[in-house]
């Protein structure tokens, strides 16, 4: 019997050593770095009002390069995280759709850095309160990158809500669904506010900051969960 067990063990192929999924850590860094840079930038900009002005407006003016770099760094980190998440989730529900949507969010950040927005809300100083006819780069910033990026981020939240439900991790499923609802609601109000329509114009900047805070927090916590699962001895 002992010899038989030895033969069976010898015939069983050894499990390949696990390679740590280090790309997941990029998701832990992206949001905190973006928000930290944002807070520093807005504190030293004359005429910039975080309650009214969008984050993208920090890319305007002589020191706007700092926010451009902020967008680009966040985009690269999110792209790396999307690749790591693909590896972490497969095989199984959400393994293709969620990373793809987060890659679209990453490209949106990169595009927002490359193509600057147009002035809005009177910033920089001397520009009109109401949006002027958009420039080509302002239109690309809003329509080709920012809008698809936020839509993709929201969709990723709902996709992972479904995926985690299928994987029987209901707490993370519920958290992802609630984050998607909150981000969608806040993003809608933010869009109305930046159009200088209704009572939300005076707080559009605050609404946008709440939107990105919910989004970055969700992404960081998902990265933390998947990083912890990657280290678990029970990993697939």
């Amino acid at each position: 019997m002992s010899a038989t067990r030895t033969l069976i063990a010898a015939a069983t192929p050894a499990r390949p050593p696990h390679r740590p999924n280090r790309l997941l850590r990029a998701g832990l860094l992206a949001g905190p770095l973006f928000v930290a840079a944002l807070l520093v930038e807005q504190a030293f900009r004359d005429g910039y009002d975080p309650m009214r002005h969008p984050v993208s407006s920090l890319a305007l003016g002589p020191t706007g390069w700092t926010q451009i770099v902020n967008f680009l760094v966040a985009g690269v980190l999110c792209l790396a995280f999307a690749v790591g998440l693909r590896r972490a989730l497969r095989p199984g529900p959400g393994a293709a759709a969620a990373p793809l949507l987060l890659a679209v969010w990453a490209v949106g950040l990169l595009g927002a850095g490359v193509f600057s927005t147009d002035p809005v809300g009177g910033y920089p100083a001397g520009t009109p309160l109401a949006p002027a006819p958009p420039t080509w780069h302002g239109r690309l910033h809003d329509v080709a990158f920012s809008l698809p990026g936020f839509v993709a981020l929201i969709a990723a939240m709902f996709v992972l809500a479904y995926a985690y439900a299928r994987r029987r991790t209901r707490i993370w499923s519920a958290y992802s669904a609630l984050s998607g609802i909150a981000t969608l609601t806040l993003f809608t109000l933010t869009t109305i506010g930046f159009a200088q329509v209704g009572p939300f114009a005076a707080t559009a900047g605050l609404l946008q900051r709440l939107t990105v805070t919910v989004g970055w927090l969700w992404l960081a916590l998902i990265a933390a969960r998947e990083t912890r699962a990657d280290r678990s001895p029970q990993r697939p």
Side-chain angles (χ1 to χ4, degrees), residues 150-168:
F150 273 105
V151 170
L153 177 64
I154 294 166
M157 293 174 177
F158 289 119
V159 167
L160 277 185
Y162 169 78
Y164 283 137
R166 289 283 306 275
R167 294 166 186 262
R168 301 185 184 279

PDB file of all heavy atoms in Angstrom, residues 150-168:
ATOM      1  N   PHE A 150     -15.862  57.501 -17.058  1.00  0.00           N
ATOM      2  CA  PHE A 150     -16.745  57.373 -15.895  1.00  0.00           C
ATOM      3  C   PHE A 150     -17.820  56.320 -16.129  1.00  0.00           C
ATOM      4  O   PHE A 150     -18.166  55.562 -15.207  1.00  0.00           O
ATOM      5  CB  PHE A 150     -17.386  58.719 -15.563  1.00  0.00           C
ATOM      6  CG  PHE A 150     -16.551  59.583 -14.663  1.00  0.00           C
ATOM      7  CD1 PHE A 150     -15.870  60.681 -15.167  1.00  0.00           C
ATOM      8  CD2 PHE A 150     -16.429  59.290 -13.320  1.00  0.00           C
ATOM      9  CE1 PHE A 150     -15.086  61.481 -14.335  1.00  0.00           C
ATOM     10  CE2 PHE A 150     -15.647  60.072 -12.474  1.00  0.00           C
ATOM     11  CZ  PHE A 150     -14.972  61.174 -12.987  1.00  0.00           C
ATOM     12  N   VAL A 151     -18.359  56.268 -17.340  1.00  0.00           N
ATOM     13  CA  VAL A 151     -19.365  55.246 -17.649  1.00  0.00           C
ATOM     14  C   VAL A 151     -18.764  53.854 -17.484  1.00  0.00           C
ATOM     15  O   VAL A 151     -19.400  52.946 -16.927  1.00  0.00           O
ATOM     16  CB  VAL A 151     -19.919  55.450 -19.078  1.00  0.00           C
ATOM     17  CG1 VAL A 151     -20.787  54.255 -19.492  1.00  0.00           C
ATOM     18  CG2 VAL A 151     -20.735  56.736 -19.161  1.00  0.00           C
ATOM     19  N   ALA A 152     -17.529  53.682 -17.950  1.00  0.00           N
ATOM     20  CA  ALA A 152     -16.873  52.375 -17.822  1.00  0.00           C
ATOM     21  C   ALA A 152     -16.614  52.025 -16.362  1.00  0.00           C
ATOM     22  O   ALA A 152     -16.773  50.864 -15.950  1.00  0.00           O
ATOM     23  CB  ALA A 152     -15.562  52.379 -18.606  1.00  0.00           C
ATOM     24  N   LEU A 153     -16.202  53.012 -15.557  1.00  0.00           N
ATOM     25  CA  LEU A 153     -15.964  52.752 -14.136  1.00  0.00           C
ATOM     26  C   LEU A 153     -17.245  52.307 -13.445  1.00  0.00           C
ATOM     27  O   LEU A 153     -17.254  51.336 -12.671  1.00  0.00           O
ATOM     28  CB  LEU A 153     -15.415  54.007 -13.465  1.00  0.00           C
ATOM     29  CG  LEU A 153     -15.180  53.921 -11.956  1.00  0.00           C
ATOM     30  CD1 LEU A 153     -14.113  52.881 -11.630  1.00  0.00           C
ATOM     31  CD2 LEU A 153     -14.788  55.276 -11.385  1.00  0.00           C
ATOM     32  N   ILE A 154     -18.334  53.003 -13.735  1.00  0.00           N
ATOM     33  CA  ILE A 154     -19.629  52.640 -13.136  1.00  0.00           C
ATOM     34  C   ILE A 154     -20.053  51.244 -13.588  1.00  0.00           C
ATOM     35  O   ILE A 154     -20.513  50.415 -12.784  1.00  0.00           O
ATOM     36  CB  ILE A 154     -20.690  53.690 -13.498  1.00  0.00           C
ATOM     37  CG1 ILE A 154     -20.334  55.032 -12.843  1.00  0.00           C
ATOM     38  CG2 ILE A 154     -22.082  53.226 -13.067  1.00  0.00           C
ATOM     39  CD1 ILE A 154     -21.122  56.207 -13.387  1.00  0.00           C
ATOM     40  N   ALA A 155     -19.883  50.972 -14.882  1.00  0.00           N
ATOM     41  CA  ALA A 155     -20.239  49.648 -15.398  1.00  0.00           C
ATOM     42  C   ALA A 155     -19.395  48.562 -14.751  1.00  0.00           C
ATOM     43  O   ALA A 155     -19.891  47.464 -14.448  1.00  0.00           O
ATOM     44  CB  ALA A 155     -20.072  49.623 -16.918  1.00  0.00           C
ATOM     45  N   ALA A 156     -18.110  48.846 -14.507  1.00  0.00           N
ATOM     46  CA  ALA A 156     -17.242  47.863 -13.851  1.00  0.00           C
ATOM     47  C   ALA A 156     -17.742  47.529 -12.451  1.00  0.00           C
ATOM     48  O   ALA A 156     -17.653  46.379 -12.002  1.00  0.00           O
ATOM     49  CB  ALA A 156     -15.806  48.394 -13.793  1.00  0.00           C
ATOM     50  N   MET A 157     -18.268  48.529 -11.755  1.00  0.00           N
ATOM     51  CA  MET A 157     -18.815  48.290 -10.420  1.00  0.00           C
ATOM     52  C   MET A 157     -19.984  47.304 -10.479  1.00  0.00           C
ATOM     53  O   MET A 157     -20.066  46.364  -9.674  1.00  0.00           O
ATOM     54  CB  MET A 157     -19.273  49.606  -9.800  1.00  0.00           C
ATOM     55  CG  MET A 157     -18.140  50.572  -9.499  1.00  0.00           C
ATOM     56  SD  MET A 157     -18.746  52.172  -8.928  1.00  0.00           S
ATOM     57  CE  MET A 157     -17.206  53.027  -8.587  1.00  0.00           C
ATOM     58  N   PHE A 158     -20.875  47.499 -11.449  1.00  0.00           N
ATOM     59  CA  PHE A 158     -22.026  46.605 -11.561  1.00  0.00           C
ATOM     60  C   PHE A 158     -21.616  45.213 -12.060  1.00  0.00           C
ATOM     61  O   PHE A 158     -22.190  44.207 -11.639  1.00  0.00           O
ATOM     62  CB  PHE A 158     -23.080  47.222 -12.472  1.00  0.00           C
ATOM     63  CG  PHE A 158     -23.792  48.397 -11.860  1.00  0.00           C
ATOM     64  CD1 PHE A 158     -23.726  49.649 -12.445  1.00  0.00           C
ATOM     65  CD2 PHE A 158     -24.516  48.255 -10.688  1.00  0.00           C
ATOM     66  CE1 PHE A 158     -24.375  50.738 -11.879  1.00  0.00           C
ATOM     67  CE2 PHE A 158     -25.169  49.337 -10.108  1.00  0.00           C
ATOM     68  CZ  PHE A 158     -25.097  50.578 -10.710  1.00  0.00           C
ATOM     69  N   VAL A 159     -20.634  45.162 -12.945  1.00  0.00           N
ATOM     70  CA  VAL A 159     -20.152  43.861 -13.419  1.00  0.00           C
ATOM     71  C   VAL A 159     -19.545  43.066 -12.271  1.00  0.00           C
ATOM     72  O   VAL A 159     -19.810  41.865 -12.112  1.00  0.00           O
ATOM     73  CB  VAL A 159     -19.122  44.049 -14.554  1.00  0.00           C
ATOM     74  CG1 VAL A 159     -18.374  42.741 -14.826  1.00  0.00           C
ATOM     75  CG2 VAL A 159     -19.815  44.523 -15.831  1.00  0.00           C
ATOM     76  N   LEU A 160     -18.733  43.733 -11.437  1.00  0.00           N
ATOM     77  CA  LEU A 160     -18.140  43.015 -10.302  1.00  0.00           C
ATOM     78  C   LEU A 160     -19.186  42.687  -9.242  1.00  0.00           C
ATOM     79  O   LEU A 160     -19.040  41.689  -8.520  1.00  0.00           O
ATOM     80  CB  LEU A 160     -16.993  43.824  -9.698  1.00  0.00           C
ATOM     81  CG  LEU A 160     -15.650  43.670 -10.406  1.00  0.00           C
ATOM     82  CD1 LEU A 160     -14.559  44.423  -9.664  1.00  0.00           C
ATOM     83  CD2 LEU A 160     -15.255  42.200 -10.534  1.00  0.00           C
ATOM     84  N   ALA A 161     -20.233  43.507  -9.137  1.00  0.00           N
ATOM     85  CA  ALA A 161     -21.328  43.151  -8.230  1.00  0.00           C
ATOM     86  C   ALA A 161     -21.939  41.814  -8.648  1.00  0.00           C
ATOM     87  O   ALA A 161     -22.180  40.929  -7.810  1.00  0.00           O
ATOM     88  CB  ALA A 161     -22.388  44.251  -8.231  1.00  0.00           C
ATOM     89  N   TYR A 162     -22.159  41.661  -9.938  1.00  0.00           N
ATOM     90  CA  TYR A 162     -22.689  40.394 -10.458  1.00  0.00           C
ATOM     91  C   TYR A 162     -21.675  39.263 -10.283  1.00  0.00           C
ATOM     92  O   TYR A 162     -22.020  38.156  -9.842  1.00  0.00           O
ATOM     93  CB  TYR A 162     -23.046  40.560 -11.932  1.00  0.00           C
ATOM     94  CG  TYR A 162     -23.343  39.268 -12.647  1.00  0.00           C
ATOM     95  CD1 TYR A 162     -24.570  38.627 -12.488  1.00  0.00           C
ATOM     96  CD2 TYR A 162     -22.384  38.677 -13.480  1.00  0.00           C
ATOM     97  CE1 TYR A 162     -24.827  37.427 -13.135  1.00  0.00           C
ATOM     98  CE2 TYR A 162     -22.637  37.488 -14.131  1.00  0.00           C
ATOM     99  CZ  TYR A 162     -23.869  36.864 -13.958  1.00  0.00           C
ATOM    100  OH  TYR A 162     -24.116  35.678 -14.594  1.00  0.00           O
ATOM    101  N   ALA A 163     -20.399  39.558 -10.614  1.00  0.00           N
ATOM    102  CA  ALA A 163     -19.371  38.526 -10.544  1.00  0.00           C
ATOM    103  C   ALA A 163     -19.180  38.025  -9.111  1.00  0.00           C
ATOM    104  O   ALA A 163     -19.069  36.817  -8.870  1.00  0.00           O
ATOM    105  CB  ALA A 163     -18.054  39.068 -11.097  1.00  0.00           C
ATOM    106  N   TYR A 164     -19.147  38.948  -8.150  1.00  0.00           N
ATOM    107  CA  TYR A 164     -18.960  38.535  -6.759  1.00  0.00           C
ATOM    108  C   TYR A 164     -20.185  37.781  -6.239  1.00  0.00           C
ATOM    109  O   TYR A 164     -20.050  36.886  -5.394  1.00  0.00           O
ATOM    110  CB  TYR A 164     -18.666  39.748  -5.884  1.00  0.00           C
ATOM    111  CG  TYR A 164     -17.252  40.260  -6.015  1.00  0.00           C
ATOM    112  CD1 TYR A 164     -16.980  41.619  -6.094  1.00  0.00           C
ATOM    113  CD2 TYR A 164     -16.181  39.380  -6.043  1.00  0.00           C
ATOM    114  CE1 TYR A 164     -15.676  42.092  -6.209  1.00  0.00           C
ATOM    115  CE2 TYR A 164     -14.875  39.835  -6.166  1.00  0.00           C
ATOM    116  CZ  TYR A 164     -14.632  41.189  -6.247  1.00  0.00           C
ATOM    117  OH  TYR A 164     -13.346  41.646  -6.364  1.00  0.00           O
ATOM    118  N   ALA A 165     -21.366  38.140  -6.725  1.00  0.00           N
ATOM    119  CA  ALA A 165     -22.561  37.382  -6.340  1.00  0.00           C
ATOM    120  C   ALA A 165     -22.459  35.944  -6.838  1.00  0.00           C
ATOM    121  O   ALA A 165     -22.793  34.993  -6.113  1.00  0.00           O
ATOM    122  CB  ALA A 165     -23.810  38.058  -6.891  1.00  0.00           C
ATOM    123  N   ARG A 166     -21.990  35.785  -8.072  1.00  0.00           N
ATOM    124  CA  ARG A 166     -21.811  34.435  -8.621  1.00  0.00           C
ATOM    125  C   ARG A 166     -20.726  33.669  -7.876  1.00  0.00           C
ATOM    126  O   ARG A 166     -20.789  32.434  -7.765  1.00  0.00           O
ATOM    127  CB  ARG A 166     -21.437  34.533 -10.106  1.00  0.00           C
ATOM    128  CG  ARG A 166     -22.558  34.982 -11.020  1.00  0.00           C
ATOM    129  CD  ARG A 166     -23.540  33.850 -11.298  1.00  0.00           C
ATOM    130  NE  ARG A 166     -22.858  32.671 -11.803  1.00  0.00           N
ATOM    131  CZ  ARG A 166     -22.540  32.465 -13.093  1.00  0.00           C
ATOM    132  NH1 ARG A 166     -22.859  33.399 -14.002  1.00  0.00           N
ATOM    133  NH2 ARG A 166     -21.937  31.369 -13.478  1.00  0.00           N
ATOM    134  N   ARG A 167     -19.748  34.382  -7.349  1.00  0.00           N
ATOM    135  CA  ARG A 167     -18.657  33.753  -6.608  1.00  0.00           C
ATOM    136  C   ARG A 167     -18.982  33.597  -5.120  1.00  0.00           C
ATOM    137  O   ARG A 167     -18.118  33.233  -4.327  1.00  0.00           O
ATOM    138  CB  ARG A 167     -17.374  34.583  -6.779  1.00  0.00           C
ATOM    139  CG  ARG A 167     -16.833  34.602  -8.200  1.00  0.00           C
ATOM    140  CD  ARG A 167     -15.776  35.696  -8.385  1.00  0.00           C
ATOM    141  NE  ARG A 167     -15.354  35.815  -9.759  1.00  0.00           N
ATOM    142  CZ  ARG A 167     -14.253  35.255 -10.271  1.00  0.00           C
ATOM    143  NH1 ARG A 167     -13.479  34.548  -9.477  1.00  0.00           N
ATOM    144  NH2 ARG A 167     -13.938  35.404 -11.536  1.00  0.00           N
ATOM    145  N   ARG A 168     -20.215  33.961  -4.739  1.00  0.00           N
ATOM    146  CA  ARG A 168     -20.708  33.819  -3.360  1.00  0.00           C
ATOM    147  C   ARG A 168     -19.943  34.687  -2.368  1.00  0.00           C
ATOM    148  O   ARG A 168     -19.709  34.288  -1.223  1.00  0.00           O
ATOM    149  CB  ARG A 168     -20.692  32.346  -2.920  1.00  0.00           C
ATOM    150  CG  ARG A 168     -21.534  31.439  -3.799  1.00  0.00           C
ATOM    151  CD  ARG A 168     -21.596  30.022  -3.273  1.00  0.00           C
ATOM    152  NE  ARG A 168     -22.327  29.149  -4.171  1.00  0.00           N
ATOM    153  CZ  ARG A 168     -23.657  29.070  -4.224  1.00  0.00           C
ATOM    154  NH1 ARG A 168     -24.390  29.814  -3.419  1.00  0.00           N
ATOM    155  NH2 ARG A 168     -24.241  28.252  -5.080  1.00  0.00           N
TER     156      ARG A 168
END
